[in-house]
């Protein structure tokens, strides 16, 4: 096999401060044996194992053995609850859960108290988090329904994406119900080059149905009371606005087969629209919600088996662009209120990669595991890095950040509350027998999680600066 770093003579071996060796290194070119040379927190070179090892013997080495070595994973959809809701979650606990799940970068949502709707609020949040995060991070700014025009002049150094709530729930204070305001947001985002990320359900439709039906009294009714029609109507509206204005739109936690078909068709037609699936929608169905109640209460609702099957097919076919956790912890006390008062949402960043890997191995047991792991990396590293313009993230390649994950693909273990690192202390996956385990996580070449010792690293994760969108011949005339 050819050497991966062809210009090896240019590598300054004196700068190397860590060597990671793996028989199953997951690179953009595929899974192969390799050696990663790390210097100053970045990948200096990626070499063949057959290459002469001329790095001084005094340099520390880590051998991953038969484990996969993945690029640090990216969760582009978390709610770490800072500021204002830190009784449920905070950045120290949330980032512990992240690195224990193999994530070295997260993108946090704006529905905090107060909501993060301005550039100054984003900067203030970044200052609060400094020194308290094990992961690198960026923020989705929130759309202010009263001032959608702000997106046209959003400083890309602060944020390049904006969250739009088209439907409300307990922690969504800024819902866009006015179609005129929604269209203004699409116009402004297109002008400012801002990527919209959307909770795409029709809130007015739900209000109409609630006025007729009343509130659900038990969880047997929950999925039907938050029906797929709300998502289908909203997704169709998003696609039309994308068609009209050329706005880039990424639909979050897509839940139904019909929505997946609509977005896949729109993307095939050349529209800049994509979608995320969540681990929860891949792992549970409405039958689980009938049995588990608030533990799997989500917004959008977890739907039927046929919908889950379609989302898995979207993952396998590449129709979906990213997988997100929608990590949204609540306390046990909050989740055990009445059906009307119990908030939707559950923790999930720690469980995401292993939960999806477990599902893939069970659904497609005969698939080559190298193909399966490449799919996982595509959706949890390469895809979000490309979509949200995260330079240096999502790949093991020279010049990239030395974010590496040692993953044991065949390890079998049962998740218990004792394993949960999120502040809420519970998981909907408790009792699941998982396949695959994150054994070690490195961020910038430093260990931030070691499963063997249960120890975490330094809370020096960075607020990531945002790179301007590249101009290409394809986009210049769009």
């Amino acid at each position: 096999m050819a050497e991966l770093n062809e210009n090896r003579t240019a590598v300054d071996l004196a700068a190397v401060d860590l060597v990671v060796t793996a028989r199953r290194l997951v690179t953009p070119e595929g899974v192969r044996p390799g050696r990663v040379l790390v210097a100053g927190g970045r990948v200096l070179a990626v070499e063949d194992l057959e290459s002469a090892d001329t790095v001084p013997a005094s340099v520390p080495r880590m051998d991953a053995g038969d484990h996969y070595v993945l690029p640090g994973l990216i969760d582009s959809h978390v709610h770490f609850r800072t500021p204002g809701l830190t009784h449920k979650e905070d950045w120290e606990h949330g980032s512990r859960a992240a690195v224990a799940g193999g994530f070295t970068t997260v993108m946090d949502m704006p529905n905090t108290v107060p909501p993060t709707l301005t550039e100054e609020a984003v900067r203030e949040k970044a200052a609060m988090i400094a020194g308290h995060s094990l992961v690198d991070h960026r923020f989705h700014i929130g759309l202010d329904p009263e001032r959608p025009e702000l997106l046209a002049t959003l400083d890309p150094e602060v944020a390049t994406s904006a969250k739009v709530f088209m439907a409300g729930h307990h922690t969504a204070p800024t819902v866009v119900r006015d179609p005129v305001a929604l269209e203004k947001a699409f116009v402004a985002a297109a002008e400012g080059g801002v990527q919209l990320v959307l909770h795409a359900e029709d809130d007015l439709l739900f209000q109409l149905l609630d006025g007729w039906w009343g509130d659900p009294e038990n969880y047997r009714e929950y999925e039907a009371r938050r029906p797929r029609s709300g998502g289908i109507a909203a997704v169709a509206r998003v696609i039309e606005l994308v068609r009209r204005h050329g706005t880039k739109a990424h639909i979050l936690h897509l839940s139904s087969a019909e929505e997946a078909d609509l977005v896949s068709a729109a993307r095939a037609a050349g529209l800049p629209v994509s979608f995320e699936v969540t681990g929860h929608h891949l792992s549970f169905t409405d039958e689980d919600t009938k049995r588990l109640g608030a533990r799997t209460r989500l917004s959008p609702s977890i739907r039927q088996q046929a919908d889950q099957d379609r989302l898995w097919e979207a993952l396998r076919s590449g129709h979906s662009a990213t997988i997100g956790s929608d990590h949204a912890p609540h306390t046990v006390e909050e989740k055990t209120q009445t059906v009307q008062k119990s908030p939707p949402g559950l923790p999930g960043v720690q469980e995401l990669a292993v939960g999806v890997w477990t599902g893939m191995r069970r659904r497609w047991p005969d698939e080559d595991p190298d193909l399966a792991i490449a799919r996982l990396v595509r959706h949890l590293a390469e895809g979000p890095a490309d979509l949200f313009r995260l330079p240096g993230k999502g790949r093991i390649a020279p010049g990239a950040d030395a974010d590496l994950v040692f993953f044991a693909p065949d390890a079998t273990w049962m998740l218990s509350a004792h394993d949960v690192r999120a502040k809420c202390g519970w998981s909907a996956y408790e009792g699941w027998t998982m396949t695959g385990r994150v054994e070690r996580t490195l961020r910038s070449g430093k260990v931030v999680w070691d499963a063997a010792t249960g120890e975490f690293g330094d809370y020096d994760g960075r607020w990531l600066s945002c790179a301007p969108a590249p101009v290409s011949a394809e986009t210049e005339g769009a």
Side-chain angles (χ1 to χ4, degrees):
M1 184 174 65
E3 185 175 296
L4 300 184
N5 185 66
E6 296 178 359
N7 192 26
R8 189 169 190 272
T9 56
V11 174
D12 181 8
L13 296 179
V16 175
D17 49 39
L18 176 66
V19 178
V20 175
T21 303
R23 286 186 280 280
R24 292 198 279 185
L25 189 66
V26 185
T27 74
E29 294 77 28
V31 179
R32 61 193 67 193
R35 181 165 51 237
V36 182
L37 308 186
V38 178
R42 292 186 176 271
V43 176
L44 185 65
V46 184
E47 300 183 333
D48 269 347
L49 285 184
E50 290 79 10
S51 303
D53 185 358
T54 55
V55 176
S58 58
V59 174
R61 284 161 167 79
M62 296 182 189
D63 186 356
D66 289 328
H67 297 163
Y68 283 113
V69 173
L70 321 177
L73 304 180
I74 301 167
D75 191 344
S76 53
H77 188 173
V78 303
H79 301 263
F80 279 2
R81 304 301 195 195
T82 298
L85 297 169
T86 53
H87 66 283
K88 314 174 193 256
E89 183 63 294
D90 56 38
W91 270 82
E92 290 190 4
H93 287 86
S95 64
R96 288 178 200 170
V99 296
F103 291 88
T104 55
T105 302
V106 303
M107 297 185 71
D108 189 57
M109 290 295 170
N111 50 318
T112 51
V113 179
T116 313
L117 304 181
T118 66
E119 294 179 5
E120 184 57 32
V122 173
R123 294 188 181 95
E124 289 174 358
K125 180 189 279 191
M128 291 178 199
I129 292 164
H132 298 279
S133 180
L134 288 162
V135 294
D136 292 340
H137 42 277
R138 190 183 286 178
F139 309 107
H140 302 289
I141 199 169
L143 172 70
D144 184 345
E146 302 299 320
R147 297 187 295 169
E149 66 279 358
L150 292 179
L151 297 185
T153 56
L154 179 62
D155 182 354
E157 290 295 315
V158 175
T160 58
S161 55
K163 175 68 177 287
V164 180
F165 286 96
M166 296 173 66
H169 54 73
H170 297 61
T171 61
T174 54
V175 179
V176 186
R177 298 182 177 89
D178 179 4
V180 174
L182 183 64
E183 183 153 16
K184 286 181 179 179
F186 273 74
V187 171
E191 183 178 342
V194 175
Q195 173 82 55
L196 294 184
V197 295
L198 300 108
H199 182 139
E201 291 187 290
D202 191 317
D203 197 66
L204 294 177
L205 185 150
F206 287 159
Q207 289 182 19
L208 182 69
L209 291 173
D210 286 346
W212 184 41
W213 281 330
D215 292 325
E217 296 181 357
N218 57 65
Y219 285 100
R220 292 190 302 276
E221 303 174 358
Y222 181 67
E223 192 270 340
R225 294 299 186 91
R226 282 292 176 267
R228 67 186 60 240
S229 55
I232 295 167
V235 166
R237 184 179 302 169
V238 168
I239 291 172
E240 178 54 32
L241 290 169
V242 169
R243 188 198 309 274
R244 194 178 301 165
H245 303 293
T247 317
K248 296 178 292 182
H250 185 57
I251 296 173
L252 303 172
H253 43 45
L254 188 140
S255 66
S256 74
E258 292 89 345
E259 294 165 75
D261 290 345
L262 282 171
V263 181
S264 298
R267 189 160 185 82
L271 297 179
V273 60
S274 57
F275 70 92
E276 166 199 85
V277 294
T278 72
H280 308 324
H281 286 102
L282 293 171
S283 299
F284 303 101
T285 70
D286 63 325
E287 294 299 321
D288 292 301
T289 305
K290 292 174 185 177
R291 179 173 56 89
L292 297 172
R295 190 174 282 262
T296 57
R297 176 179 180 169
L298 283 181
S299 179
S301 173
I302 290 174
R303 305 216 180 274
Q304 299 166 14
Q305 185 64 57
D307 298 297
Q308 186 188 87
D309 292 342
R310 176 64 180 93
L311 297 182
W312 275 108
E313 177 54 35
L315 180 66
R316 192 172 197 179
S317 66
H319 290 165
S320 55
T322 65
I323 310 172
S325 72
D326 193 7
H327 177 84
H330 301 285
T331 66
V332 170
E333 292 75 18
E334 289 169 329
K335 291 294 275 185
T336 51
Q337 297 179 96
T338 64
V339 177
Q340 293 87 348
K341 292 183 178 181
S342 175
L346 50 146
V349 63
Q350 181 178 347
E351 302 90 329
L352 179 57
V354 294
V356 174
W357 178 254
T358 297
M360 287 198 294
R361 303 314 292 157
R362 289 177 182 171
R363 280 185 170 252
W364 310 309
D366 298 327
E367 183 176 44
D368 181 343
D370 287 358
L371 294 177
I373 203 71
R375 181 186 303 115
L376 192 74
V377 167
R378 189 161 55 250
H379 282 82
L380 284 176
E382 296 170 3
D386 292 344
L387 184 67
F388 295 109
R389 310 197 315 256
L390 294 164
K393 299 297 185 181
R395 291 170 174 82
I396 300 174
D401 291 348
D403 300 342
L404 305 170
V405 178
F406 293 14
F407 185 71
D410 301 317
T412 302
W413 58 288
M414 183 176 289
L415 190 144
S416 72
H418 175 74
D419 300 302
V420 175
R421 304 296 174 174
K423 189 173 185 177
C424 66
W426 63 272
S427 170
Y429 295 82
E430 288 175 41
W432 272 46
T433 301
M434 296 291 194
T435 299
R437 189 178 187 112
V438 173
E439 299 293 349
R440 184 176 291 175
T441 303
L442 283 72
R443 177 181 46 75
S444 299
K446 299 187 296 183
V447 176
V448 287
W449 164 247
D450 190 327
T453 63
E455 294 179 354
F456 296 99
D458 295 331
Y459 291 84
D460 57 0
R462 299 172 295 144
W463 178 27
L464 299 174
S465 62
C466 302
V471 176
S472 67
E474 181 180 349
T475 59
E476 199 169 36

